[in-house]
Amino acid sequence: MWKKYSMPQADTAERLQKVLAAAGVGSRRACEDLIFRKRVMVNGKVAKLGDKVDPATAEIYVDGSRVITNTKLVYVALNKPRGVVSSLDDEKGRTELADFLDVNFEQRLFHVGRLDADSEGLLLLTNDGTLAHKLMHPSYGVSKTYLAEVMGPLPRTVGRRLQSGVELEDGPAQVDGFRLVDAIGKTAQVEITLHEGRKHIVRRMMDEVGHPVTRLIRTAVGPIRLGDLRPGGFRHLANAEVAALFKAVGDED
């Protein structure tokens, strides 16, 4: 799991407490205290006062949570509006994710999974390919939560059917969680949580139980929530949120 440790080059090495402070862990004095109390791991070893690290390559953990010190790594949450394709370089010239990023990132970003053009909500963007792969792969079990507006009225048995599993043309599928949020006349709002990412999976499952989706919003990816981010808006993830993503894929000390 751990990368082979090598001494950082003199021109890139910095005091560990300085690197931790720059990453937002705390003041230099507070970071020195964390190191002294043996709460910091660097490349699989307990750190000690006086250690120097290369912030671009070191794997640093504080109390078992990953601390990102590579300033070139980018982690962004974007609220994809309806009608926008999940692409950063659409060949057909359609409205795409890049149209909402008013910052020129040095490295190419990748979207973590997709939302079809008619769906909206949370998309994560990053240039951390390893983390992106783990977040997308179903074997890591990272859940995605959706708010779906569906055709009603909705029988009580729908949730049980979806949690037990339904048969689709490409195999069985089931949700991890289902909750009725609201019901007004012939329309209902439900919250659906699942960890797999087959194409149009939520829409196909709801079609199978006889309640087609009329609007679909992804509200969370693992520990990251959409919150009050406006449609078309984006924000950089906080250090604690990035650490929570690593924890969600089992990448912790």
Side-chain angles (χ1 to χ4, degrees), residues 37-55:
R37 294 177 182 275
K38 302 185 184 303
R39 294 167 60 184
V40 182
M41 300 280 290
V42 178
N43 297 329
K45 298 180 180 180
V46 177
K48 60 184 184 297
L49 288 172
D51 281 354
K52 290 187 176 183
V53 299
D54 182 347

Side-chain angles (χ1 to χ4, degrees), residues 206-236:
M206 293 308 301
D207 282 344
E208 182 65 24
V209 296
H211 296 276
V213 172
T214 55
R215 186 181 182 188
L216 187 64
I217 305 171
R218 183 191 283 160
T219 58
V221 174
I224 310 303
R225 303 200 64 82
L226 180 63
D228 58 1
L229 191 62
R230 62 177 177 79
F234 75 95
R235 65 178 180 84
H236 290 268

Side-chain angles (χ1 to χ4, degrees), residues 157-176:
T157 57
V158 168
R160 290 197 295 271
R161 285 185 63 189
L162 291 170
Q163 288 176 307
S164 297
V166 296
E167 192 68 34
L168 303 178
E169 67 273 14
D170 55 353
Q174 64 185 104
V175 304
D176 301 322

Side-chain angles (χ1 to χ4, degrees), residues 135 142-143 220-225 241 243-246 248:
L135 289 171
V142 179
S143 63
V221 174
I224 310 303
R225 303 200 64 82
E241 291 179 303
L245 285 175
F246 277 99

Side-chain angles (χ1 to χ4, degrees), residues 74-81 84-89 95-112 123-127 229-237:
V74 177
Y75 305 89
V76 169
L78 183 145
N79 186 351
K80 187 189 87 66
V84 175
V85 295
S86 292
S87 172
L88 288 161
D89 187 19
T95 305
E96 59 181 5
L97 304 177
D99 295 328
F100 300 92
L101 300 175
D102 56 4
V103 174
N104 291 321
F105 295 102
E106 292 182 4
Q107 298 187 15
R108 180 185 177 189
L109 299 185
F110 302 91
H111 45 84
V112 180
L123 265 179
L124 300 182
L125 306 173
T126 183
N127 56 1
L229 191 62
R230 62 177 177 79
F234 75 95
R235 65 178 180 84
H236 290 268
L237 298 186

